[in-house]
Every structure is written in C-alpha cells, then in structure tokens.
C-alpha cells in the first residue's frame, strides 16, 4: 500500500477546477456533493435564524413584523427553509456525500457501477437546486415545502418552477439510488458477502430501494400540480371538480418514505461510529441490517398518519395509526442494539462519538414523541402545532444532522488526508447539542399549549417559550460556525492523517488517506465481518 | 395499579395542556399523561443506560480489550416484544377515544362554520351569522365545516378537537362544553398571508344567554342601515385588515376619514372615494389598488358573497366613519 510515495491520490491525481466538474471518480463526486450540500445548508440555516428572530416577540401591529416586513415574506422564508433543508440537504445529504465516497470503499470496489450516471446525478441535482434558488429572485414561493393544494394552485408565486426543480432533483435521486443498488449487487470484493457488509452499506441499500420506488410518485404528483396550474385539468382543484386531499395522499405516499430516506443513512453512520469508538463489534448485526429493510417496507404504508384530521375516514385513521405503531418496533430494536454495543466496550469521547451519542439522546426523544403523534386522539390535538415541529426537528436535525456531523468528523481524515482539532470539534458539538435542546424542547411545550405552526405572529401567552427557543437558535448557529472553522483550519493547516487514525476495521481504513484514485492498490479479499474487534 | 394512576396524574399536571373544556379533553389528557410517564421511563432506560455505559466503559488505554458479544436472542426478543405490546396498548387506548371524537352525537346542536382567507364565519339555523362561535354549555354541539377558498383547519385547543375545512366537501367535529368561558380558536392549516391572524373565539354561555343572544342577533335586520353595516363589518371580520379609527395601516388602508378623500392608485391613476368606488372595491378589491398595497390586493373579492342590501349597509357605515 505504498502509493503515497508516488504523490498520486484522488485529490492531486488531476489538476484544475474542470477536472473536478468532469470527474467520474466517486470520491470526487462525493466531494462535489459535500461542498454543494454544505452551501445549501448554510442558506437554509440563515433562513431558520431569521424565522426564529421574527418569532422572538409577538407583533404589536397586525401583519407588521420585526424582521420580515409582513406575513407574506415570513411565509416565503419558511417555505425556503423547509424546501432547501428537505430537498437539498437532508434527503440528498448522507447518501450523496458519504454514500458516494464510502460505499465503494467499504465493499472493496473501484467505483460505483455507473460512474457517468453518477456524475449526471450531480448535474441533475445542481440543475434542480439552481432552479429552486432562482425562484427566490423571481416570485418567491409561499406554499410551505409541502405545496398543499388548492393553495399552491391559487397562489401567484413561482410554484410551477420550484416544483419542476424538485422533480429534476428527484430524477437525480432515483439515478443515485439505482447506481448504489447495482454497485452493492455487482461490485462487492471477493469474500464480501451481504452479511459481511458494514451496516452503513445496508442502510444505503435500504435507502436506495425507497428512493427508486417512492420518488417517481412524487415526480408524478408534482407534474400533475404543474398541469393543474398551467392547464387547469381539475385533478386537485375543487373548483374544477378535483379533490385537494388527493394531493395530500400522493404527496405523503412519497414524503413519508422520504422521512426514512433521511434517517436510515444516519442510522447506518451511527452503527459505524459506535463500533469504532467503543472498539467493539456491533450487537445484533442481523437485527440492525434487516430492521432497516423492515422500516423501508413498512414506511410505504403509513402515509395517512399525516392526515388524521384531513377528512379521511375513521377506519383509515385507525389502520394508519396501527401500522405506524409497527414502525416503532424496528426503531426500538436498533436503539437497544446500539445501547448493548456500548456494554463492555472501550469508549473514547472523540467529537464523532459525542455526535453519535447526541444522536441517541435526541433520537430517543424524537422516537417517543413520534409514538405520541401516532396515537390518534393525541395527534388530533398536536397536528400542525409546534409539537410536530419539535418532533420532526428532533428526528431530522437531532437524528440526521447529528449523524452527518459525526460522519464528517469520522471520515474527514480519510476524505481530505488531514487531521482536525478535536478540541474545536468537541466544542462545536457542545454548542449544537445544547443549543438544539434549548431551541426545540420548548417547542414541545408550545405545541401542547396549542400554538399552531407556520404562524407569523402569536398570542402573548406563547412569548416566553418562543424567546427561549430563539436564543437556542443562536447557540446552534454558533456551534456550526465553530464546526466550519475547525474544518477550514484542518484543510489549511491540519497534520497529515494516517491511514487509520481511529483503529477502525472497515475496508475504507485499509487504504491510505486520502485514497488513491483506484481506491485500493490490490483488490481486497474479505475473510471476516466488518467489526471484528477481538 | 395505584402507583400507575398517581404517576399518570402527576404527569398530567405537568403537561402544559390548555384548560380542559370537555370530558373528551380529560380522557385525551389521561392518555397523554400515560404516554409522558412511559416516555420518561423509556428515556431513563435508553439515555440513562447510554450515559452509564459511557462512563463505566470509558477508554483507559489504547490496548483495552473489549467483550466480543455478537447477539443475544433472548434479549432481542424481549426488547422487540415489550415495546410492541406497549405500542399496541397505546394504539387501542387511542382508538377508543378517537372513536368517541369521530362519532357524531344525535340531537346535537348543529352549526355551520365556514373558513375563508382569513376569517371564520359561524352561521346558525335561524340565519344569524357571527365571527365568534357561540355555544351553550352542557350540550352536544356539532360543527359542520366548509371552506370558500383553500384548506383551513378549525382548532379549539381546550377541547382537543381539530378538523380541516376542505373546499368542495363538508367535514365535521363535535364537542360538549363542560364549562363556560372564552376559548381560543385557531386556523392550523397554512392558508397564506394572514394565516396566523385567522383566530377567533369560542364563547361558551348558559343555555338562557345563548337563546337570548340568538334572538338579539336575529333582530339586527331591524336596525338602522348604518348600524346594520357596522354589524356586517364585524361579522365579515373587515376589522382584521382595516382600521376604523386613526391612520394606522393594518393589512389594508384605514377607513377612518376616507370617504370623500382622493386616493392614488398603484397604476398611477387617482379617484375620489365615493359610493361607487367603495362598492367596486368591496366586490372586486383588485379593480383599483391604493398605492403601497399592491401589486395584488390581499382582500378577498366579495362579489356574490354579499347581498345588495348588505353592500349598501356597509357603505353607509363607512360613510359614518368620516365626520
């Protein structure tokens, strides 16, 4: 493995910006996603901070705000916060950055199955993302990220354009999913059986299946919405005999599985982190691997739990509540397996491990509040209140984003060949974790008290908790600034990373940091499972 | 079981749920109390366990040996089956309450509530219209919901009820108020500019006061024309966008001292505020938009919504605002 002497790793193998934009190397494409997704995260994050600032106090005069001139601008900001974070950060985030970079490395392959398609996916993603951002400078959309009809049909904003943008990003997502499925089936190194794959690969595999099966539904729904707006075909518009609730069924038929597109890869990362930093084999490998698949399958049959008060029948509500409870079981299994993994381990509190433990902490709270929301009469009270806002931030931010951060610190030495300052990285965790709880825990209480979501203004009774929440958002912001500083410092002046700084067992640590273009100098032969810490 | 009940009660007192206005609200809160207690126990096990292990098995040296435990079928069955049982209990308990919520009582007082951007309108069988929802205490009330434009959602936190108002179909909810008083009513389905201003009140009064109120309201038609206009101004929630005193701007222009004034419009033209201008603006607010309120008017078009007599009454009322 002495290729470092030749000075050829994937980063310096070719020179110039164009070499990046035309690269077919899965690692370089992973880095492209890394940069673009972080940029969009910054955009969505700024919108979030502004929203929280607006909600710091209730508005004295009707429809005049502190930050936003009026309710319309607030509604636009919440739409872009949601749409950017969902479609451009959390959904593509982990699969496109770490899936691209590490899936082939972890299974001992040279690249993904279809490298050209892989690059095409990035261009589709960028085309869609650019269109979505462009609508901010045209006629800003104010529908919320869910585009519910008939509001989205009537509003005079650029709904068609942003919906087309999401359609195109969805295409990229489908192609990436196909690529990963083919890669896992066809390109595993000799000896790398399915049951020897790292759990991150299993998670990406389950995610890809959902992406390939569910995204087309969203695409069709969005096309119908565009046709409705352009030609008035009358599918969703009640004025033309359409049914606006049908849109919600179609939308959540994709968007609920999409919740698992967001969280399954995060769960995969957590399995990697917990084993590495406790130097212990995973507890219940099979249970974790197959519970991912189980979640992926059941996730297709729970969409109606977003619609308990939409006017769907009592029977439908009962069935969806029951099925939703079932999703809780594989999730609980994973939690207990992770806990058991720590038992009798050798636990090192690196920044990555702190983020992983932060994930467990927040995901438990996201999970139990999820069970509350699955319970019919409780959801009737909580639906569309801040309780729901708090719940899905605990799952999406407390879950996916914590795992993303943990993954960045875990794999950064491998991706860039540089070490970062553990001190700064840990400090970023403290601020993000504390800030997160200060921001979102009060929102559970606000929801219980009855504060509806997507409110530009609120009654005075809600003021104090909103103030606390806003202060928390500043702590989160600071945490991410510190994280950014730690990354920039590491890139500019970090020490050279060894091949395996953490003593991890999976294959990506068996090649140098950063890896050579072809990943491994000799094709790996796998003879044991991924976490054999004996 | 006593300890469980007391735990539920204690959790219940700490849930920050709004005042319980009905029996169903109490049963919802009991279930919620159980869920909170169960959640605390789960968090204590999972988070507490994690912190305990993390401290106990903290790395001492790089050569630490760890236990090689791949799985334990008995444990795995236990922690799959126990959560499943708890989830199913919660599901069934929820179903029972939900069934009560969804089963419309017979002989309920039926009232109609219609949502529109951005106000609620309640209509009673005798034709009385009100921006507030007024109901008698101790009687089953069924609200039949409709929407004139986009989806809204009627939410009364104190009664733990919520139902979307969907254009093109009727939906319904019911409750039985146990105590008198005023309760918040919110719109919880995002509906545009003033979604957060689409708030009204539920007033629970005694049966006598309710009957009296209904009769008084129905006598409005006998009032002088401008007073009738004031009433319509209130019912149609015009005041949520237009001030009637002072120059302060809400969402639309202030109507104080407006009659006879000359307005400048978005398209550069001007006109004097007279009866015909007001009539046009009420029926089609986009016809002329006062400068600074464009490019599109936030006001719904009342064409087809108001009768001739109502429009006239409104204009007469607006005229009284200019003295």
């Amino acid at each position: 493995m002495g290729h470092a002497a030749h000075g050829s790793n994937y980063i310096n193998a070719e020179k110039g910006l164009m070499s990046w934009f035309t690269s077919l190397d899965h690692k370089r494409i992973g880095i492209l996603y890394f940069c673009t997704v972080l940029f969009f995260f910054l955009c969505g994050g700024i919108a979030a901070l502004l929203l929280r600032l607006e909600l710091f106090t209730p508005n004295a005069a009707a429809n005049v705000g502190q930050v936003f001139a009026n309710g319309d601008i607030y509604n636009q900001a919440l739409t872009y916060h949601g749409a950017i974070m969902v479609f451009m950060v959390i959904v593509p985030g982990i699969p496109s950055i770490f899936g691209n970079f590490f899936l082939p490395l972890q299974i001992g392959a040279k690249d993904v199955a279809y490298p050209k398609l892989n690059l095409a996916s990035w261009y589709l993603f960028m085309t869609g993302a650019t269109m979505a951002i462009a609508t901010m400078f045209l006629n800003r959309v104010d529908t919320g990220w869910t585009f519910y009809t008939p509001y989205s049909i009537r509003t005079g904003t650029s709904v068609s354009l942003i919906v087309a943008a999401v359609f195109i990003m969805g295409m990229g997502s489908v192609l990436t999913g196909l690529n990963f499925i083919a890669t896992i089936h066809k390109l595993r190194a000799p000896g790398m059986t399915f049951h020897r794959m790292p759990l991150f690969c299993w998670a990406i595999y389950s995610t890809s299946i959902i992406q390939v099966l569910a995204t087309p539904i969203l695409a069709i729904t969005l096309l119908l919405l565009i046709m409705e707006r352009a030609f008035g075909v009358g599918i969703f518009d009640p004025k033309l005999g359409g049914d606006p609730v049908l849109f919600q069924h179609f939308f959540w038929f994709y968007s609920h599985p999409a919740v698992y597109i967001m969280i399954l890869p995060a769960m995969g990362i957590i399995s990697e982190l917990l084993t590495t930093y406790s130097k212990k084999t995973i507890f219940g490998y099979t249970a974790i691997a197959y519970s991912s698949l189980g979640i992926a399958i059941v996730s297709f049959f729970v969409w109606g739990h977003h619609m308990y008060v939409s006017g769907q029948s009592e029977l439908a509500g009962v069935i969806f509540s029951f099925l939703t409870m079932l999703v809780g079981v594989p999730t609980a299994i994973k939690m207990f397996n992770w806990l058991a993994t720590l038992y009798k381990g050798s636990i090192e509190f690196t920044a990555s491990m702190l983020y992983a433990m932060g994930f467990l902490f927040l995901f438990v709270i996201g999970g139990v509040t999820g069970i509350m929301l699955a319970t019919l009469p409780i959801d009737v009270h909580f639906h569309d209140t801040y309780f729901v806002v708090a719940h899905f931030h605990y799952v999406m931010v407390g879950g996916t984003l914590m795992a993303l951060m943990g993954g960045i610190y875990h794999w950064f030495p491998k991706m860039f060949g540089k070490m970062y300052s553990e001190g700064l990285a840990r400090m970023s965790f403290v601020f993000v974790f504390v800030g997160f709880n200060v921001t979102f825990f009060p929102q559970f209480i606000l929801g219980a008290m009855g504060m509806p979501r997507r409110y530009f203004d609120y009654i005075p009774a809600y003021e104090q908790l909103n103030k606390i929440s806003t202060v928390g958002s500043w702590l989160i912001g600071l945490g991410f600034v510190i994280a950014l500083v730690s990354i920039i410092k590491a890139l500019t002046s970090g020490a050279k990373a060894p091949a395996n700084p953490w003593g991890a067992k999976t294959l990506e640590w068996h090649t140098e940091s950063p890896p050579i273009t072809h990943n491994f100098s000799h094709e790996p032969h796998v003879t044991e499972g991924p976490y054999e810490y004996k | 079981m006593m300890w469980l009940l007391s735990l539920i009660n204690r959790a219940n007192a700490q849930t920050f749920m709004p005042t319980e206005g009905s029996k169903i609200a109490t049963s919802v809160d009991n279930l919620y109390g159980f869920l909170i207690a169960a959640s605390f126990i789960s968090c204590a096990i999972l988070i507490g366990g994690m912190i305990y292990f993390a401290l106990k098995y903290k790395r001492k040296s790089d050569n630490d040996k760890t236990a090689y435990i791949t799985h334990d079928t008995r444990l795995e069955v236990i922690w799959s089956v126990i959560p499943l049982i708890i989830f199913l209990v919660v599901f069934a308990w929820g179903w029972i309450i939900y069934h009560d919520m969804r089963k419309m009582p017979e002989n309920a007082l039926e009232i109609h509530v219609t949502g529109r951007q951005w106000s609620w309108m309640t209509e009673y069988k005798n034709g009385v219209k009100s921006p507030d929802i007024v109901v008698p205490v101790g009687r089953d009330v069924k609200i039949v919901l409709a929407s004139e434009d986009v989806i809204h959602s009627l939410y009364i936190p104190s009664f733990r009820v919520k139902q979307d108002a969907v254009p093109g179909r009727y939906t319904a909810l019911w409750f039985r108020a146990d105590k008198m008083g005023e309760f918040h009513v919110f719109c919880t389905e995002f509906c545009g500019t003033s979604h957060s201003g689409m708030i009204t009140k539920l007033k629970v009064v005694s049966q006598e006061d309710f009957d009296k109120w209904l009769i008084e309201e129905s006598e409005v038609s006998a009032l002088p024309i401008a007073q009738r206009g004031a009433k319509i101004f209130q019912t149609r929630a015009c005041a949520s966008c237009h001030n009637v005193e002072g120059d302060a701007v809400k969402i639309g222009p202030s109507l104080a001292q407006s009659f006879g004034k000359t307005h400048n419009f978005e398209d550069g033209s001007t006109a004097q505020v007279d009866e015909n201008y007001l009539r046009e603006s009420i029926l089609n607010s986009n016809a002329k938009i006062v400068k600074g309120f464009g490019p599109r008017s936030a006001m719904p078009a009342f064409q087809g919504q108001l009768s001739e007599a109502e429009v006239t009454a409104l204009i007469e009322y607006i005229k009284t605002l200019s003295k």
Side-chain angles (χ1 to χ4, degrees):
Chain A
M1 292 190 195
H3 275 259
H6 301 263
S8 66
N9 58 50
Y10 84 96
I11 295 176
N12 61 19
E14 285 176 87
K15 296 262 178 290
L17 212 52
M18 276 317 286
S19 74
W20 285 85
F21 292 127
T22 55
S23 174
L24 300 182
D25 183 343
H26 67 102
K27 300 182 287 302
R28 287 187 154 218
I29 294 171
I31 299 293
L32 288 178
Y33 277 114
F34 180 75
C35 299
T36 43
V37 169
L38 286 197
F39 172 74
F40 295 134
F41 177 65
L42 187 71
C43 300
I46 290 171
L49 288 172
L50 292 176
L51 292 169
R52 278 307 334 157
L53 203 55
E54 171 63 50
L55 295 171
F56 191 67
T57 50
N59 303 328
N63 211 32
V64 178
Q66 291 88 30
V67 177
F68 301 110
N70 57 50
D72 283 331
I73 304 177
Y74 177 85
N75 295 340
Q76 291 156 9
L78 79 81
T79 302
Y80 284 97
H81 167 65
I84 289 174
M85 287 303 201
V86 171
F87 296 117
M88 289 146 75
V89 179
I90 302 281
V91 166
I94 295 175
S96 65
I97 300 171
F98 299 129
N100 259 312
F101 202 107
F102 290 106
L103 176 69
L105 279 164
Q106 286 196 326
I107 59 171
K110 278 187 183 166
D111 206 316
V112 292
Y114 311 112
K116 286 180 183 161
L117 205 60
N118 200 17
L119 184 64
S121 298
W122 183 75
Y123 277 100
L124 283 171
F125 172 67
M126 286 310 289
T127 309
T130 310
M131 281 167 68
I133 297 286
T135 60
M136 281 165 112
F137 302 97
L138 299 168
N139 203 345
R140 287 189 296 264
V141 181
D142 67 344
T143 58
W145 77 276
T146 48
F147 311 117
Y148 268 21
T149 54
Y151 187 78
S152 57
I153 301 171
R154 292 169 148 242
T155 179
T157 56
S158 313
V159 174
S160 300
L161 190 57
I162 199 167
V163 158
V166 173
F167 179 89
I168 293 170
M169 285 190 274
M171 288 279 291
S173 183
V174 171
L175 295 182
T176 302
L178 270 177
N179 217 336
F180 288 166
I181 292 173
T183 307
I184 288 173
H185 275 279
K186 303 309 274 184
L187 298 184
R188 280 169 290 126
M192 176 61 81
T193 60
F194 258 76
H195 286 164
R196 284 179 184 161
M197 282 199 311
L199 287 166
F200 178 68
C201 300
W202 271 98
I204 291 291
Y205 183 64
S206 308
T207 308
S208 301
I209 291 174
I210 309 180
Q211 276 177 325
V212 169
L213 294 181
T215 315
I217 315 285
L218 177 74
I220 293 163
T221 312
L222 296 177
L223 272 187
L224 287 175
L225 179 57
I226 293 174
M227 284 168 66
E228 189 82 0
R229 279 180 66 91
F231 311 115
V233 286
I235 293 167
F236 304 127
D237 191 348
K239 283 201 170 145
L240 303 168
D243 183 356
V245 180
L246 182 66
F247 177 85
Q248 297 179 25
H249 281 288
F250 285 171
F251 182 81
W252 289 115
F253 190 81
Y254 161 78
S255 291
H256 195 79
V259 169
Y260 297 97
I261 295 179
M262 304 180 212
I263 197 65
L264 283 175
M267 292 171 156
I269 290 183
I270 295 305
S271 298
E272 302 297 313
L273 300 185
L274 291 179
T275 49
T276 303
Y277 299 102
S278 59
K279 272 195 169 176
K280 194 158 165 284
T281 193
I282 194 89
F283 185 98
Y285 174 94
T286 331
I288 294 184
Y290 285 95
S291 63
S292 292
L293 275 182
I295 290 176
I297 294 163
V298 183
S299 75
F300 279 94
F301 304 100
V302 296
W303 79 90
H305 68 216
H306 297 267
M307 300 170 60
Y308 289 157
V309 300
S310 67
Q312 80 183 2
S313 73
E314 182 189 336
L315 180 65
V318 168
I319 291 170
F320 283 121
S321 173
F322 176 77
L323 292 169
T324 305
M325 292 291 177
L326 294 188
V327 189
V329 177
T331 313
I333 292 174
K334 280 179 194 272
M335 292 299 310
F336 282 109
N337 280 321
W338 287 325
L339 188 60
T341 301
L342 297 178
Y343 174 69
K344 289 195 173 172
S346 162
I347 296 163
E348 190 186 10
F349 297 103
T350 57
S352 305
M353 186 60 170
L354 290 176
Y355 273 108
M357 290 173 63
F359 170 99
L360 294 185
F361 186 105
L362 301 174
F363 198 74
V364 171
I365 298 176
V368 294
T369 52
I371 293 296
M372 293 180 187
L373 289 172
T375 312
L376 289 156
I378 308 283
D379 183 72
V380 171
H381 180 56
F382 287 152
H383 180 79
D384 272 341
T385 68
Y386 262 83
F387 194 94
V388 174
V389 176
H391 161 72
F392 70 71
H393 280 89
Y394 263 83
V395 180
M396 299 289 97
V397 184
T400 308
L401 210 58
M402 295 300 263
L404 182 70
M405 292 302 294
I408 288 177
Y409 283 124
H410 178 62
W411 279 312
F412 186 87
K414 182 57 65 185
M415 293 167 82
F416 298 99
K418 298 277 177 73
M419 296 303 287
Y420 51 85
S421 143
E422 274 290 344
L424 273 180
R426 286 186 192 142
M427 197 163 41
S428 82
F429 166 77
V430 171
F431 277 99
V432 171
F433 179 77
V434 173
F436 179 84
N437 284 294
V438 174
T439 307
F440 292 104
F441 203 85
Q443 296 186 4
F444 281 124
I445 303 173
L446 281 171
M449 290 166 73
M451 178 171 168
R453 65 192 282 207
R454 294 177 168 174
Y455 261 32
F456 168 60
D457 193 9
Y458 50 82
I459 59 173
Y462 303 143
E463 182 170 359
Q464 207 179 359
L465 288 164
N466 270 295
K467 280 210 158 62
I468 298 173
S469 183
T470 301
V471 171
S473 73
W474 302 336
L475 295 178
I476 303 180
L478 191 60
F480 282 117
V481 170
I482 295 171
L484 188 64
V485 170
S486 80
I487 286 174
I488 292 172
K489 256 187 78 181
L491 285 176
T492 52
S493 59
K496 187 173 173 358
N500 189 359
W502 319 122
K505 295 283 182 186
T506 42
L507 281 183
E508 77 269 32
W509 304 103
H510 290 201
T511 181
E512 56 257 56
S513 308
I516 55 169
T517 301
H518 293 293
N519 293 349
F520 302 95
S521 42
H522 306 285
E523 187 175 44
H525 286 259
V526 182
T527 52
E528 57 179 13
Y531 312 111
E532 298 295 312
Y533 296 90
K534 281 187 181 164
Chain B
M1 282 318 271
M2 277 311 290
W3 67 273
L4 187 63
L5 278 178
S6 79
L7 199 63
I8 291 174
N9 281 333
R10 201 167 319 147
N12 223 340
Q14 304 297 331
T15 51
F16 301 96
M17 297 286 252
T19 336
E20 290 166 0
S22 67
K23 280 203 184 58
I24 283 195
T26 311
S27 59
V28 169
D29 287 7
N30 284 337
L31 174 52
Y32 184 54
F34 171 79
L35 279 164
I36 295 235
S39 300
F40 267 107
I41 295 170
S42 315
C43 288
I45 294 171
L46 287 164
I47 296 174
M50 174 185 83
I51 293 171
Y52 175 75
F53 286 163
L55 296 177
K56 179 153 187 211
Y57 303 113
K58 190 170 182 302
R59 184 167 300 178
K60 312 229 166 31
S61 83
D62 283 347
N63 305 318
D64 279 358
K65 281 277 164 241
T66 59
Y68 186 77
I69 311 168
T70 55
H71 66 287
D72 181 328
T73 312
R74 205 178 45 157
L75 264 180
E76 291 180 81
V77 169
I78 289 174
W79 68 47
S80 312
V81 172
I82 291 181
L84 178 66
I85 292 171
I86 297 175
F87 295 161
L88 291 182
V89 167
V90 169
F91 158 74
W93 188 345
W95 184 2
I96 294 166
I97 301 172
Y98 185 67
H99 181 71
D100 285 343
M101 275 181 177
R102 296 310 310 158
K103 189 164 173 265
M104 298 296 146
E106 286 164 30
N107 306 321
L109 169 72
E110 194 176 274
I111 56 183
H112 294 263
V113 175
T114 305
R116 65 183 316 189
Q117 290 168 315
W118 294 278
S119 60
W120 297 102
M121 155 97 85
T122 312
E123 195 168 359
Y124 294 83
K125 294 286 180 201
N126 70 348
V128 165
K129 288 179 182 173
S130 160
D132 303 322
I133 306 173
V134 183
V135 299
V137 73
R139 192 166 158 201
D140 293 343
V141 175
K142 178 183 176 186
I143 292 181
V144 178
L145 280 163
S147 167
E148 286 179 10
D149 36 47
V150 299
I151 300 177
H152 302 280
S153 192
L154 187 83
Y155 175 35
I156 316 172
S158 286
F159 294 82
R160 316 285 186 270
V161 290
K162 182 181 287 137
Q163 184 65 52
D164 285 2
V166 183
R169 70 160 78 163
Y170 295 111
T171 52
L173 63 84
W174 80 274
F175 59 85
R176 183 194 180 103
D178 282 342
K179 54 178 79 159
M180 291 193 273
E182 284 193 3
F183 303 93
H184 289 293
V185 177
F186 296 123
C187 174
T188 49
E189 186 59 69
F190 177 72
C191 59
T193 310
S194 277
H195 169 53
S196 58
M198 198 168 156
I199 296 177
T200 186
K201 285 203 164 50
L202 172 76
K203 293 180 180 162
V204 182
V205 298
S206 68
Q207 184 71 49
E208 301 91 81
D209 287 351
F210 177 73
D211 295 335
K212 212 168 84 192
W213 176 82
L214 264 188
I215 293 168
E216 274 172 18
E217 289 295 306
S218 61
E219 281 165 356
V220 167
S221 50
L223 287 174
I225 185 162
Q227 283 181 37
R228 194 146 34 93
K231 205 77 205 170
I232 297 165
F233 196 82
Q234 188 201 353
T235 340
R236 295 287 180 166
C238 307
S240 55
C241 299
H242 295 286
N243 269 328
V244 292
E245 280 171 6
D247 289 336
V249 166
K250 280 184 174 173
I251 292 167
S254 168
L255 298 177
Q257 311 299 338
S258 61
F259 194 79
K261 206 164 102 181
T262 304
H263 271 326
N264 296 314
F265 298 113
E266 280 280 330
D267 62 6
S269 63
T270 59
Q272 203 185 18
V273 177
D274 59 10
E275 282 90 344
N276 275 320
Y277 165 76
L278 285 174
R279 181 191 164 81
E280 181 183 50
S281 292
I282 292 168
L283 296 180
N284 174 16
S285 57
N286 271 311
K288 296 192 177 74
I289 298 167
V290 176
K291 210 162 179 54
F293 294 91
R296 282 185 59 79
S297 166
M299 177 170 151
F302 283 87
Q303 186 80 54
Q305 307 288 329
L306 294 170
S307 68
E308 275 303 304
E310 283 176 315
V311 174
T312 311
L314 266 176
I315 293 171
E316 285 308 310
Y317 168 64
I318 292 168
K319 280 160 83 172
T320 66
L321 301 173
S322 307
K323 290 274 159 55

